[in-house]
Amino acid sequence: MIRLLLRDIVLAVRAGGGFGLGLAFFLIVTVLVPFGVGPEADLLSRIAPGILWVGALLSCLLSLDRIFQLDFEDGTLDLLATAPIPMEGVVAVKALAHWLTTGLPLVLAAPVFGVLLNLPGPGYVWLVASLALGTPALSMIGAFGAALTVGLKRGGLLLSLLVLPLYVPTLIYGTEVARRGAEGLDLGAPIALLAGITLAALALLPFAAAAAIRVNLR
Amino acid sequence: MSIWEYANPLKFMGWTAPLVPVLSVLAAVALSVGLIWGYFFTPDDYRMGASVKIIYIHVPSAMMAINAWAMMLVASLIWIVRRHHVSALAAKAAAPIGMVMTVIALITGAIWGQPMWGTWWAWDPRLTSFLILFLFYIGYMAMWAAIENPDTAADLTSVLCLVGSVFAILSRYAVNFWNQGLHQGASLSMDAEENVADVFWVPLLVAIAGFVLLFVALVLVRTRTEIRARRLHAIVARERMG
Amino acid sequence: MTSLLEVQDLTVQRGGVAVLAGVSLSLAEGEALILRGPNGSGKTTLLRTIAGLQPSSAGRISVVPEAIAYAAHADGVKSVLTVVENLRFWSGIYGAGGVEEALETFELEGLADRPAGALSAGQKRRLGLSRLLVTGRSIWVLDEPTVSLDRAAVAMFAGAVRAHLAAGGAALIATHIDLGLEARTFDVAPYKARAGSGEGEFDEAFL
């Protein structure tokens, strides 16, 4: 399992575009928003948590189809399916690798982008906390979507269509934590719910995704 | 003989054939009675005026939008557990109907909301939930359309329906949390004080019965079409095998 | 000789259509079986079914659990990893050693640190086959293993199979060329599924 994790990370790093592409996309979304809504600092600081969350979510979406697609095309997935590790474990490890190469850099870079959007002072900690807590769910839900569409020739668009509605609860609780944090409000409820969604996704979705992959391989 | 015998495609075609016209006529009668009664023979609401009458379409279609998804969930579970082809095809057949019901609920809601709230659309929890439900229907149908092998499609859409149901419920609560809305409380509930007045209530029940009958009739017709398509597929495949 | 793999009356399907029906075969320790049949006759489907990648529609496969190593047209070789990294990955997954021996058997030592993307098709194929040696599994299920191999490499591969058989393993190989192995052949052509040929048929419920 560790081997698979290390291999996926090495592949992402060497193939390029793993860390870089998602982050660059996140930056561009963050830069485009002020062009769209105007440069007033008040408005930007009010919408900053939401924009950063939506930006992180979209950057995460960008690399989802690579979780299984390449391994499916070159036959690795067939070989992994006959290897002595459970498919559920493969899915979980691949989602973790996706998070480490996409989600984690987004979490770490978010404060920098927060500066661009005038995020209020107390908001930084909670922005990072909410992203750190929520992005694993994004990767896991995304891995489920990728597992459903792995057998399809042009699955990318369908993948987005399937995954984005599933992201709604995570996005709502995540931005709520970040927003309340920025405004200095009580955020116990949303942070507990966000953690709940993430834990539930991590606990249950590997089984659904593994079932989908087995169906797609036959 | 077990009840599952009726799920055999041939048997299913047999026992549903006489059912379709009966259900269609019943649906037409119930809908006509409910809607005409509701529109022409009920008083205007003292607060909402004549615009309240859209309730006879809005409430039943909203109910069916959710019930259709619930039916798809049950059918998907039956497919996963017992692998009855008709069950998977019924889920496939119900999706577009559920989607249209969702659209009807959204549009009638907008038409009702405009004079009431002064806006066509508000990010009210119920409206938002229905919009999300609409997206789930779109994704589910796109999944069916994208996969060629019918059994693979049935398996994958069933998994999607299961996971989607869980997330739809999560979204419902998340959206509630996100914004407390404008929408009035449920029009129908067991708690009598919450209910709409009796004058509106009886024709509404008739209209709902009409929508349920219409839904069942449409699902049967569409399932029968899907079975015929599968049969054609099987015949062609067999021809090719020689 | 104990039997490692026993297939009885198997019906396999591809895309929901039965391709082979009533296939029975067995494989004992130290034995190789060569599958033959024209293109599209269902060899790949049969091998994938035996490897457990797809369900059969009828029949029985009895095999010791986790004994099969499967290799097909697609090697699962990652082009950005080096040859030795590719092998180490699979040996780690299977928890068996033998990376050095595998490199040696397929004469890949000189290429060990080269990225797999820089290999020729035949070299990549050799790398894909050398993966079998690090799985530590007793039954090799191989689908066209000699594609894009030159004569010397085919001999290399035949040697590896022979050594595997001598060590008590078994191999089920779909191939068109003569590997020079003392092996039985199994022609799949007579098992071609015909409409109305048996139970558990595709979509029979709809007819």
Side-chain angles (χ1 to χ4, degrees):
Chain A
M1 298 288 228
I2 299 290
R3 292 268 179 176
L4 184 60
L5 179 65
L6 293 177
R7 187 203 68 145
D8 265 29
I9 293 170
V10 169
L11 285 178
V13 174
R14 287 208 196 147
F19 299 93
L21 213 60
L23 272 183
F25 184 81
F26 192 15
L27 175 64
I28 289 171
V29 171
T30 316
V31 170
L32 284 181
V33 167
F35 290 142
V37 302
E40 295 117 273
D42 280 358
L43 176 63
L44 285 178
S45 72
R46 204 147 41 82
I47 62 174
I51 298 301
L52 290 170
W53 251 93
V54 172
L57 187 148
L58 292 177
S59 330
C60 195
L61 194 67
L62 209 58
S63 50
L64 283 183
D65 58 338
R66 292 173 53 164
I67 298 183
F68 297 116
Q69 195 66 42
L70 296 178
D71 279 346
F72 178 75
E73 279 164 9
D74 70 11
T76 307
L77 219 46
D78 278 346
L79 303 180
L80 282 174
T82 55
I85 48 177
M87 192 45 89
E88 287 79 6
V90 171
V91 172
V93 165
K94 283 184 153 288
L96 176 60
H98 178 263
W99 182 73
L100 287 173
T101 53
T102 312
L104 190 59
L106 293 177
V107 174
L108 299 177
V112 182
F113 300 155
V115 174
L116 291 177
L117 293 177
N118 285 61
L119 187 70
Y124 287 93
V125 175
W126 294 111
L127 175 69
V128 172
S130 67
L131 282 171
L133 209 52
T135 45
L138 299 185
S139 287
M140 192 61 242
I141 296 167
F144 168 66
L148 280 179
T149 54
V150 71
L152 299 172
K153 289 277 177 326
R154 279 182 293 278
L157 191 62
L158 181 61
L159 174 60
S160 318
L161 193 63
L162 296 180
V163 163
L164 284 176
L166 300 179
Y167 277 174
V168 169
T170 312
L171 177 65
I172 287 178
Y173 294 130
T175 43
E176 199 65 15
V177 171
R179 187 182 65 78
R180 291 191 184 187
E183 292 171 10
L185 302 171
D186 172 50
L187 41 68
I191 210 164
L193 289 164
L194 179 64
I197 296 231
T198 301
L199 291 177
L202 294 180
L204 300 175
L205 281 179
F207 296 97
I213 287 194
R214 284 196 206 99
V215 170
N216 268 320
L217 283 182
R218 66 179 196 220
Chain B
M1 190 168 113
S2 113
I3 187 168
W4 297 109
E5 291 275 318
Y6 294 103
N8 169 286
L10 287 182
K11 286 240 172 69
F12 183 86
M13 292 300 270
W15 69 263
T16 52
L19 219 53
V20 171
V22 175
L23 282 171
S24 308
V25 170
L26 282 177
V29 170
L31 278 177
S32 317
V33 170
L35 293 183
I36 292 172
W37 185 353
Y39 276 80
F40 299 106
F41 301 99
T42 56
D44 291 353
D45 185 76
Y46 71 95
R47 207 154 39 88
M48 299 195 246
S51 69
V52 73
K53 294 186 171 177
I54 206 163
I55 197 177
Y56 299 108
I57 296 178
H58 181 70
V59 171
S61 62
M63 283 179 71
M64 291 324 293
I66 295 169
N67 291 351
W69 186 275
M71 180 232 131
M72 281 156 57
L73 174 62
V74 173
S76 298
L77 280 172
I78 293 176
W79 163 252
I80 290 176
V81 176
R82 302 206 49 126
R83 310 207 66 82
H84 285 296
H85 288 93
V86 172
S87 178
L89 294 179
K92 181 186 184 185
I97 307 169
M99 189 203 73
V100 170
M101 291 293 177
T102 315
V103 173
I104 293 174
L106 282 171
I107 291 176
T108 52
I111 295 171
W112 194 4
Q114 215 288 327
M116 287 295 101
W117 308 331
T119 172
W120 294 100
W121 179 260
W123 288 96
D124 162 90
R126 285 195 187 213
L127 275 68
T128 314
S129 301
F130 266 78
L131 199 57
I132 295 170
L133 183 62
F134 176 68
L135 294 177
F136 274 105
Y137 274 119
I138 297 277
Y140 179 87
M141 285 160 62
M143 188 97 216
W144 265 109
I147 304 167
E148 246 169 73
N149 184 324
D151 278 1
T152 308
D155 280 334
L156 292 179
T157 51
S158 297
V159 175
L160 176 66
C161 185
L162 238 66
V163 173
S165 304
V166 174
F167 274 85
I169 293 168
L170 285 178
S171 303
R172 177 83 181 92
Y173 286 104
V175 165
N176 262 339
F177 182 86
W178 169 72
N179 190 359
Q180 331 290 343
L182 300 162
H183 203 287
Q184 59 182 300
S187 307
L188 297 174
S189 71
M190 292 299 140
D191 181 4
E193 282 174 39
E194 282 278 311
N195 270 346
V196 291
D198 279 352
V199 213
F200 304 117
W201 167 240
V202 181
L204 182 56
L205 278 188
V206 178
I208 288 172
F211 267 82
V212 171
L213 288 167
L214 176 68
F215 173 75
V216 176
L218 284 175
V219 168
L220 284 184
V221 170
R222 289 184 52 85
T223 309
R224 288 167 61 82
T225 311
E226 293 290 345
I227 289 174
R228 290 201 181 95
R230 265 306 274 280
R231 185 156 178 222
L232 198 61
H233 189 262
I235 291 170
V236 170
R238 207 149 289 215
E239 287 285 312
R240 223 176 284 146
M241 273 166 66
Chain C
M1 283 205 300
T2 40
S3 170
L4 290 176
L5 172 73
E6 196 83 50
V7 172
Q8 276 163 9
D9 231 1
L10 192 70
T11 300
V12 299
Q13 49 171 7
R14 179 182 55 220
V17 183
V19 274
L20 294 173
V23 178
S24 297
L25 54 85
S26 75
L27 205 53
E29 271 178 26
E31 199 179 14
L33 187 60
I34 309 289
L35 279 190
R36 290 200 196 277
N39 291 339
S41 58
K43 298 189 295 296
T44 296
T45 312
L46 177 60
L47 291 180
R48 285 181 70 86
T49 308
I50 290 174
L53 286 167
Q54 53 188 64
S56 58
S57 44
R60 218 160 58 85
I61 303 172
S62 9
V63 64
V64 188
E66 308 222 315
I68 290 180
Y70 172 75
H73 311 271
D75 288 317
V77 166
K78 289 292 169 191
S79 53
V80 295
L81 297 181
T82 66
V83 169
V84 72
E85 281 173 335
N86 266 301
L87 273 182
R88 283 217 190 101
F89 167 65
W90 288 110
S91 108
I93 291 286
Y94 282 91
V99 172
E100 301 305 318
E101 293 85 339
L103 287 174
E104 220 170 285
T105 310
F106 284 91
E107 293 175 17
L108 291 163
E109 307 102 311
L111 306 168
D113 293 321
R114 203 187 282 189
L119 299 181
S120 75
Q123 289 168 331
K124 209 180 268 185
R125 192 73 213 159
R126 265 150 65 194
L127 172 55
L129 291 171
S130 68
R131 186 185 61 84
L132 292 167
L133 296 173
V134 302
T135 59
R137 294 208 161 169
S138 54
I139 306 172
W140 290 359
V141 174
L142 311 178
D143 194 0
E144 300 286 359
T146 54
V147 171
S148 67
L149 290 184
D150 61 18
R151 195 170 299 170
V154 170
M156 226 180 270
F157 166 66
V161 173
R162 230 173 261 127
H164 178 64
L165 299 180
L172 182 59
I173 308 171
T175 183
H176 291 287
I177 66 161
D178 185 17
L179 293 168
L181 294 169
E182 308 70 38
R184 289 181 293 143
T185 60
F186 184 89
D187 192 356
V188 299
Y191 297 95
K192 186 173 169 358
R194 262 167 245 292
S197 62
E199 78 223 77
E201 268 188 77
F202 157 71
D203 272 2
E204 63 171 340
F206 287 94
L207 291 168

